[in-house]
Amino acid sequence: MQNIFLSILEISVSIGVVVIVLILLSPFLNKRYAAKWKYLIWIFLALRLIVPFSGVNGKLIGAMLSQMKNQSVSESEQKYTDAPDNVLIPYRRIIVEIPAQMTTPIKAQSERNKVGITILDIAAFVWIITGLVFISVHVISYACYKRQIMKNGRMIKDEFILNQVFKLKCELHIRRIVCVMEYCGAESPMIIGFFKPVLVLPNEQYSPEDLFFILKHELVHLNRGDMYLKLLFVIANAVHWFNPLIWIMQKEAVIDMELSCDERVTQGVSYAMRKAYTETLLSMLHKQCAKRTVLSTQFYGGKNIMKKRFKNILTKKRKKNGISILICGIILTISMGAVVGCSVVKENIEKENIEKKNIEKKDSENVSNHLDWKSIQTEAKDIENSPDEDNTSLLIFSKEGKQEQKRATLVIGNGYSIYLPDDEEWQMSAPDLWTTGLNGEIALWITHFEGESMSSVRQKLKKDGYVKEDYHKWWKQEGDLIYHAEQETFENDVWGIFYSYPADYEEGWGSELPVIANTFALSAGAEKDNGRNNSSGEYLENEDCQIIKTILDEFAAAYFSGNASAIQKFLASTYEGEIGTYEGTGAISELAVKGLSEADEKKIENGECVVSLEFRDSNYEDMFLYLNLILVKEENSWKIQFYGVEG
């Protein structure tokens, strides 16, 4: 018990440091990355907190295994030593482990028993009792509250609500049976129940729009398994109840859980829909709801949290992929645990090495005296075939809010390379076409558009039925299959990375295949940068810079004033999509052109250059916003091919 308690203390210290770092970096992370990435880090930290294996415990387990082996060898020695002299003992090839001196630990244990109960024993006892009380209070509170709901609530039979739930379950691919009940004692909508989930609605009147957002929010919680994750955080808090930083971690994790759920609910919807969603949240805020049990989801979380949610929902900036932040969080956690663990056991390891040498010398003499065999062969082999590090990589995916790691092998194609996971039985079905043995409908293929421009490739994709998802990303659906295409340019040479999968696998393969596609790189001496290559090209002349600045000044005046007709003359003939204007309501200030100064690179790649307009909105005074533009040259003049705002 003492060793487990010491291990818990060690883990609590190391994770506490990581929690402090994350809290300090939260303002930066919240602005740039989606909340789900920080939420995944909290989940990883919670898992680490409830696994009591560290430097101290590692030594304990090693000592236990070593003692078991030594006892086994000692029994074998006793068996053959006691054999009669006239019995022929057959020659055997055995493995002899050098036995430890059994008298020393027995003596140490006897001396320890004389000391009695130590302060560490008392601390360990208090720790485990308090932890059990902590978790028991939450479990009993949850059980009582759910019992009240099941006893006093009533089943909802309203066809409109049930149809809405059914449609949302189909949209979110939820196959579990969800019971919908109305309970007058419920302060807010929630999901409660681990094995038989119940969607509970208060006895309130909701508009169809409010009802849609409420039901979708709670069903997203159910789909991601947030109930189980809340239980995970409660267990971690119970194990480390003495550490105030873990209490803070649990609170921050619940906040990021709600923020990431909001992001999932509003994913792909218009600004007007997001605004309507915040109005639903605001109506819940006015009801002054209170939390009854931690082990349930709730639509309301307090005024301060609601303000955070409003800001996160209404932000117009496009947040970055946070997989790098997740990896850094994991590496930091492991590093801190290793540092603390090494400092604790370093002295013990040095002492053990000295004792081991003395024991080996003495016991080798004892073995030769007691065992009268012709030959004793000592053998210890530990063979590990490690893969070629240059041809393998560890890919990290995020599926349904859970992190998954897979080892992948580098596959060389015709002028390019890409990493494919080993355990999915990828095989080449045709030149530059791979399919997985798990499902023949899942495919990935590469196309080299040699000698073609990005514009001509875009026209081909559009002709094939693809719809623009991003500037370089396209998608379409044919029957039950979803197709994606990503364009990449290397030194004015265009490549296409295509992949397809069944629509039912959107949450799985829809998350994994983009990560695989991101490992695409040219295999012929191109400089690799995160699976992408830096290409050389032309550069803007001073005359071009002046022309572009003039165009941007006029374009900005039309864009921020909402004059869509005036924007038309600045757009390229290949521009696709609707003509959008700035949707913000604040006053614009500090407008400045970025990317055309003497300090900037001013590169032209494939006939395109990228510039930005930096500005402030009075509604977001704490950060700069950027209107990014891609320009192409048409008829000796520069035209805008693409534009969009991000933070």
Side-chain angles (χ1 to χ4, degrees):
M1 181 60 67
Q2 283 188 6
N3 287 285
I4 295 177
F5 179 60
L6 290 175
S7 179
I8 292 295
L9 287 175
E10 178 185 332
I11 295 172
S12 195
V13 171
S14 60
I15 298 300
V17 175
V18 179
V19 171
I20 293 174
V21 173
L22 282 175
I23 292 175
L24 293 176
L25 292 177
S26 287
F28 169 79
L29 298 178
N30 293 339
K31 288 180 181 179
R32 289 183 171 268
Y33 302 97
K36 70 175 182 179
W37 298 107
K38 192 146 70 80
Y39 181 39
L40 290 174
I41 296 177
W42 295 130
I43 295 173
F44 175 79
L45 294 181
L47 289 171
R48 181 69 187 96
L49 285 169
I50 63 175
V51 179
F53 297 114
S54 60
V56 175
N57 249 32
K59 297 292 293 178
L60 175 63
I61 294 172
M64 291 172 63
L65 294 175
S66 178
Q67 186 175 3
M68 291 173 63
K69 292 180 180 179
N70 294 339
Q71 289 175 353
S72 176
V73 174
S74 299
E75 291 174 0
S76 299
E77 291 178 1
Q78 184 66 30
K79 178 179 178 181
Y80 287 106
T81 304
D82 296 341
D85 295 338
N86 58 350
V87 177
L88 179 62
I89 299 175
Y91 169 80
R92 296 191 181 187
R93 182 181 179 85
I94 64 171
I95 299 175
V96 177
E97 294 283 344
I98 303 302
Q101 292 178 326
M102 302 303 294
T103 57
T104 301
I106 293 174
K107 182 179 179 181
Q109 183 67 27
S110 300
E111 292 175 355
R112 183 183 177 277
N113 290 337
K114 294 179 182 179
V115 176
I117 299 176
T118 64
I119 296 178
L120 190 59
D121 290 326
I122 298 174
F125 178 79
V126 172
W127 162 70
I128 193 169
I129 293 299
T130 307
L132 291 174
V133 171
F134 182 97
I135 194 70
S136 298
V137 169
H138 284 293
V139 171
I140 293 173
S141 173
Y142 157 79
C144 293
Y145 190 57
K146 185 179 180 184
R147 185 178 179 183
Q148 288 181 0
I149 292 174
M150 302 305 294
K151 181 179 179 180
N152 302 322
R154 69 174 184 87
M155 300 291 294
I156 291 180
K157 298 182 180 179
D158 189 321
E159 291 185 0
F160 177 81
I161 297 177
L162 296 179
N163 288 336
Q164 190 74 270
V165 171
F166 177 78
K167 291 178 181 179
L168 288 171
K169 284 177 61 179
C170 293
E171 178 184 340
L172 298 172
H173 306 290
I174 298 175
R175 297 183 179 180
R176 300 178 66 182
I177 297 175
V178 181
C179 178
V180 184
M181 298 187 67
E182 184 181 77
Y183 177 53
C184 60
E187 287 81 9
S188 71
M190 70 182 73
I191 292 284
I192 191 168
F194 295 97
F195 304 105
K196 295 181 180 180
V198 180
L199 198 163
V200 183
L201 294 176
N203 188 12
E204 298 283 348
Q205 295 296 324
Y206 298 104
S207 66
E209 189 175 57
D210 288 346
L211 190 63
F212 169 81
F213 287 126
I214 289 172
L215 294 177
K216 186 172 184 180
H217 181 97
E218 297 304 326
L219 289 175
V220 167
H221 274 309
L222 176 65
N223 189 38
R224 302 192 313 175
D226 285 342
M227 285 290 300
Y228 302 98
L229 294 175
K230 278 200 169 186
L231 178 60
L232 173 67
F233 292 126
V234 169
I235 294 174
N237 201 0
V239 174
H240 299 264
W241 57 265
F242 52 86
N243 189 345
L245 292 173
I246 306 305
W247 292 75
I248 297 174
M249 188 201 83
Q250 183 190 11
K251 181 180 178 182
E252 291 294 322
V254 172
I255 294 174
D256 287 326
M257 175 190 293
E258 293 298 325
L259 293 176
S260 62
C261 186
D262 292 336
E263 290 172 351
R264 179 66 179 85
V265 172
T266 59
Q267 183 179 5
V269 304
S270 64
Y271 181 82
M273 288 288 286
R274 284 183 282 151
K275 189 174 181 181
Y277 181 53
T278 59
E279 291 175 356
T280 300
L281 292 177
L282 187 61
S283 68
M284 300 305 302
L285 180 64
H286 291 160
K287 291 181 173 61
Q288 297 294 329
C289 303
K291 187 178 287 290
R292 291 290 296 272
T293 175
V294 173
L295 298 177
S296 68
T297 65
Q298 281 196 339
F299 204 63
Y300 171 77
K303 292 184 179 179
N304 293 331
I305 297 176
M306 299 299 269
K307 289 178 181 178
K308 277 188 178 181
R309 293 171 67 179
F310 290 165
K311 185 175 181 180
N312 189 56
I313 293 168
L314 295 176
T315 183
K316 295 182 179 180
K317 64 181 180 180
R318 184 176 180 179
K319 296 188 177 181
K320 299 181 179 179
N321 190 321
I323 188 67
S324 58
I325 298 300
L326 177 60
I327 295 174
C328 290
I330 294 174
I331 293 174
L332 178 61
T333 303
I334 296 173
S335 301
M336 289 303 303
V339 169
V340 176
C342 289
S343 64
V344 171
V345 302
K346 181 178 179 181
E347 184 177 356
N348 292 334
I349 293 175
E350 293 175 353
K351 290 182 179 179
E352 184 181 15
N353 289 335
I354 297 173
E355 292 175 359
K356 186 176 180 181
K357 291 180 181 179
N358 296 332
I359 292 172
E360 287 178 351
K361 182 178 180 181
K362 183 174 182 179
D363 286 342
S364 62
E365 297 175 356
N366 293 337
V367 170
S368 62
N369 292 334
H370 287 289
L371 301 179
D372 187 20
W373 299 337
K374 291 183 179 180
S375 174
I376 298 178
Q377 299 184 5
T378 307
E379 194 173 336
K381 295 183 180 180
D382 184 12
I383 301 175
E384 179 178 359
N385 296 322
S386 57
D388 185 358
E389 295 297 335
D390 294 333
N391 293 330
T392 62
S393 178
L394 192 64
L395 302 183
I396 301 178
F397 311 99
S398 178
K399 296 182 179 180
E400 299 180 355
K402 298 180 181 179
Q403 181 184 352
E404 182 177 344
Q405 297 182 353
K406 293 185 179 181
R407 182 166 291 280
T409 301
L410 185 68
V411 176
I412 305 299
N414 185 16
Y416 63 88
S417 64
I418 197 166
Y419 283 93
L420 298 177
D422 298 336
D423 59 352
E424 295 169 354
E425 303 176 10
W426 285 94
Q427 55 189 1
M428 182 178 286
S429 302
D432 300 323
L433 169 65
W434 284 269
T435 57
T436 173
L438 303 179
N439 189 325
E441 293 183 325
I442 299 169
L444 183 144
W445 64 99
I446 310 298
T447 302
H448 183 195
F449 299 98
E450 189 171 4
E452 298 191 40
S453 65
M454 289 286 284
S455 299
S456 64
V457 173
R458 285 195 290 268
Q459 292 298 328
K460 283 187 175 182
L461 292 174
K462 188 176 180 181
K463 187 177 180 181
D464 289 340
Y466 283 90
V467 179
K468 184 187 293 185
E469 181 179 2
D470 199 350
Y471 183 61
H472 294 294
K473 296 181 180 180
W474 301 72
W475 80 284
K476 69 176 180 179
Q477 182 169 356
E478 293 183 353
D480 294 333
L481 290 180
I482 294 179
Y483 295 83
H484 284 268
E486 297 186 15
Q487 295 172 262
E488 294 299 332
T489 305
F490 302 97
E491 297 183 356
N492 299 329
D493 203 7
V494 183
W495 293 73
I497 305 99
F498 297 83
Y499 51 88
S500 63
Y501 53 87
D504 293 339
Y505 297 162
E506 176 67 32
E507 293 294 335
W509 290 101
S511 301
E512 178 170 334
L513 286 168
V515 177
I516 297 175
N518 195 48
T519 65
F520 174 85
L522 295 187
S523 59
E527 183 183 356
K528 189 174 179 183
D529 181 15
N530 218 2
R532 299 292 182 260
N533 294 68
N534 297 326
S535 59
S536 59
E538 303 176 6
Y539 294 88
L540 291 171
E541 300 292 342
N542 291 334
E543 182 180 354
D544 289 320
C545 292
Q546 293 298 327
I547 294 173
I548 292 175
K549 285 182 179 179
T550 302
I551 292 173
L552 293 183
D553 289 340
E554 297 177 6
F555 172 81
Y559 177 76
F560 289 112
S561 63
N563 191 350
S565 59
I567 293 177
Q568 180 67 52
K569 67 178 182 179
F570 300 105
L571 303 181
S573 59
T574 55
Y575 179 84
E576 297 174 351
E578 298 180 357
I579 301 175
T581 59
Y582 186 60
E583 298 180 355
T585 59
I588 305 302
S589 61
E590 301 183 35
L591 188 66
V593 178
K594 299 293 181 181
L596 297 177
S597 66
E598 294 298 329
D600 295 319
E601 191 174 17
K602 298 185 290 187
K603 180 182 288 187
I604 304 175
E605 293 187 357
N606 200 30
E608 302 174 345
C609 70
V610 180
V611 295
S612 299
L613 286 173
E614 181 184 79
F615 64 94
R616 285 188 186 272
D617 187 317
S618 59
N619 291 332
Y620 307 97
E621 294 181 350
D622 57 339
M623 64 179 178
F624 279 103
L625 298 177
Y626 295 89
L627 174 61
N628 296 327
L629 304 99
I630 298 177
L631 294 96
V632 295
K633 202 164 189 178
E634 291 185 354
E635 300 177 356
N636 297 324
S637 179
W638 288 94
K639 297 289 185 178
I640 298 172
Q641 173 68 49
F642 172 84
Y643 64 92
V645 174
E646 67 177 37

